[in-house]
Structures are given as structure tokens and as C-alpha cells.
Amino acid sequence: MQLNSHDEWSPLKEIVVGSAANYTSHDRELSFDLFFHENLFRSDWAYPRLRQNAHGPAGDRAWRIKQQYVEELHEDVEGLADTLTALGVTVHRPVPLPPAADPIAGFGWNAAPVPPLNLRDNTLILGDEIIETAPAIRSRYLETRLLAPVFTEYFRRGARWSTMPRPILTDASFDLSYARDTETTLGGPTEPISAPQPSPYDVGFEMMLDGAQCLRLGRDLVVNIANANHAAACDWLERHLGGTRRVHRVHRMSDNHIDSMLLALRPGLFLARHEGLRDLLPEPFRRWKLIVPPQPAEANFPVYDDGDLVLTTPYIDLNVLSVGPDRVLVNEACPELVKVLEHEGFTVVPVRHRHRRLFGGGFHCFTLDTVRTGGLEDYAA
């Protein structure tokens, strides 16, 4: 089928599911620590506080992940793909990251690549167009190359394919103002980020934006802006779209991604972390109903120790995937959320996902919907 995806909820026909193969470690360097700083350095979450320059058992920048967790992640991602196939959705897969892949090298930096798992981040699908976004984490700089066979096939079927300008990613490329604020969207102090080192390749703050910062609502696109990098990328996106969509900027709804804070389940209905998000929305969408589930129970999550790097808050299970306006995939380990959605009339498909806090994503993050039946509708009218 031809590429067609304008929203988050219309009946799903084709999707790309990420790969967890050879996900063995996190590369603890500036771009990684900056991206995850709100969770790595907070003192009030229920897991150990980690210093910015802490290292895993390997004794270098690589924070090793226990083999048990790697194997269980792979099992759960494959289970997600099988569930979608059983629901009649055509599932595409990226090229797996090869074992012991060579480091990625840029001007003045290098980073160990990670698998194409959280596919939502580095690509934005808008209708019949693939837009590769500008990555903010060095280890993910070449991630979309592992999606090239899938994208090429859609291009052959008629899809448009664009790439946002690629950042150089020197230390000075990153706007650190959000990380240095004493109060963030989640409240409370964070560990300061070290001063960036100068480079002859510096050009100032560069555009960086993840697809997961964008909420697709037909003709309207809501984009979370938390720093100058995001703002510059949104400037490019607005000019690139040329008025074909209304682009709404929301200010610091989160540090980066919007899809564990707010997701549209169908026209007129959001799944939200808290009621206060309504005030951040564009005016036409403040009239939509917000479902706010109860706080997740501690028993919903595995217990980790000091050697396990936890990357997300306990609210990661709000990162659900809609396969239609009345059917949604939800982590089976989150019964409170299942109950709330069933009460709203949804058919809930429970799927296992154990280590979502270690790998930074849920079902929406792990997937990239490429064909839905919906069109370019005006839901703000």
C-alpha cells in the first residue's frame, strides 16, 4: 500500500516495529546524558541518583545492560510484532544492528550505535511523506539508515522522502538552558550539565527534533519545544510544509518527547499524564476530553539495582499504540490504565513489555505507523 498516515488513531494497516537485536549498552557521553538528564539526575524518583560521569561495569563510557534484560527485551519486541500481525496489520522491520558494530564518528566525537528500537524518534510520517528528523543523540546519528530498505520501498510506491538538515553535534551545538534550569516541567532540581568543549566546527545551536515530539492531529501538528534546538528544527519544518498543516508550538510540555505525556486516542479524546496539560494545548484542542489514569503502582515495574540505568519515569506506560479509534495496545503490567481505557469503551489488547524503563520507550516509541486509513481532516473546526 502507499504511505498514508495523518493521525494517531485511525485504523492501522501497516507499521514498522523496531529491532532490539544487539542492544548491549548505553554510551554515556554528553548528548546521551543531556537527552535523559531529567531522569538520570533527579533525586526524588524511586531509584538511585546517578552522577553525570558514572560508568558501568566496563569501566569506560559504555554502561552495560544485563544480558537477561537484553534477551527479555528482544522477546517482548518480537511479541509486539506478532500481536500486530495477528490483528491483521502488515508489519515491516528495520535491518538489525550488526553485532560489534563500528562506532559512529563525527567531527570531534564518536559514539557506539544503538539498534533501531525507538523508531518514532528519528522519523516523522506526515501523510504521504517520510521526514527523517535531526537526531539529538550521537549514538543514533545513523539509525534511519537501518530503515532505508523500508523507506525505499515506500518511495517506489510514490511516497515523498525528505531529510531535515543533519546537525554536526559538537558540544556547543546543544542548548543547555533546559538542563540548567533549577525547575523543569516535572519540578525539582537536576544535576548540572558540564560546560561544553569548544570545537573548530561549532556553528551555534543546531536544529534537533524527534518525531516523538510531534502530535499528529490531521491538519494540525502539535510540536513540543523545550530549547533553541527544537525551535530551530520547528522553523525548518514549518517552512518545509509550506502551510499544508497548522503547526502549533507548545512550550516545555516535556523535556523532549510528548508521547508519554499526551496521546490522542481518537477525535475529541486525549490520554494525559495530568489535567494541567490542557492549558498548554492549542485553544481548539482544549475542548477535548482528557483521560488521566491513576498513578502507576510500584509493583507494576521490575526492581532494579544500582548497576541498572533507568531512563524513564514510571509514566512510560502511557505510551500506548492505537490500532483503531476503539482498540489500543497497552502494557499488560499496567492494570490501572487497562481499567480506565476499558471504562471509556476501548478494546484493550494487553502486550508484555517488562523493561520499558531501561530502554526508554513503550509501544508508541517502538513503532512507526506508515499506513492508516484516515485522511487530512480538520479536527480543530
Side-chain angles (χ1 to χ4, degrees), residues 23 25-41 50-52 54 61-63 65 110-112 114 118 136-140 169 171 174 179 193 208 255-256 309-312 357-360:
Y23 206 145
S25 65
H26 298 299
D27 193 350
R28 294 292 305 278
E29 46 77 40
L30 182 142
S31 70
F32 179 91
D33 281 1
L34 177 61
F35 193 88
F36 291 106
H37 82 279
E38 201 159 67
N39 292 303
L40 292 179
F41 306 130
L50 299 167
R51 302 294 299 180
Q52 180 176 348
R61 276 186 357 199
W63 193 290
I65 304 169
N110 63 77
V114 295
N118 290 295
I137 301 180
R138 291 163 174 164
S139 60
R140 304 185 66 183
L169 295 183
D171 286 5
F174 301 91
I193 299 294
M208 303 175 200
D255 53 351
N256 290 288
L309 198 64
V310 177
L311 301 180
T312 77
R357 298 187 71 191
L358 296 185
F359 295 94

Side-chain angles (χ1 to χ4, degrees), residues 162-191:
S162 305
T163 301
M164 190 175 287
R166 310 293 284 178
I168 304 170
L169 295 183
T170 67
D171 286 5
S173 298
F174 301 91
D175 175 13
L176 305 180
S177 60
Y178 185 95
R180 287 173 168 167
D181 284 351
T182 56
E183 296 290 329
T184 67
T185 54
L186 297 180
T190 60
E191 192 81 5

Side-chain angles (χ1 to χ4, degrees), residues 3-7 120 123-131 151 211 216 221 245 368-371:
L3 191 79
N4 183 76
S5 188
H6 295 275
D7 58 56
R120 188 75 55 172
T123 305
L124 178 63
I125 305 294
L126 292 178
D128 66 347
E129 183 175 15
I130 301 162
I131 301 176
F151 292 169
R216 301 172 306 147
L221 188 67
R245 280 173 173 76
L368 185 67
D369 40 308
T370 52
V371 181

Side-chain angles (χ1 to χ4, degrees), residues 210-262:
D210 279 2
Q213 290 174 237
C214 304
L215 182 62
R216 301 172 306 147
L217 303 170
R219 192 169 293 280
D220 293 88
L221 188 67
V222 178
V223 184
N224 180 59
I225 306 295
N227 56 45
N229 304 122
H230 303 159
C234 193
D235 288 344
W236 180 91
L237 185 60
E238 282 188 295
R239 296 173 199 175
H240 176 76
L241 294 175
T244 58
R245 280 173 173 76
R246 292 184 291 258
V247 178
H248 308 272
R249 304 183 187 213
V250 295
H251 184 63
R252 295 190 174 184
M253 182 176 285
S254 67
D255 53 351
N256 290 288
H257 297 169
I258 202 172
D259 59 349
S260 289
M261 297 290 289
L262 187 77

Side-chain angles (χ1 to χ4, degrees), residues 23 55 68 115 123 176 215 236 272 279 282 298 304 308 335 350 360 372 375:
Y23 206 145
H55 301 304
Q68 173 192 344
T123 305
L176 305 180
L215 182 62
W236 180 91
D279 296 335
E298 186 175 346
Y304 299 116
D308 300 318
R372 291 185 182 269

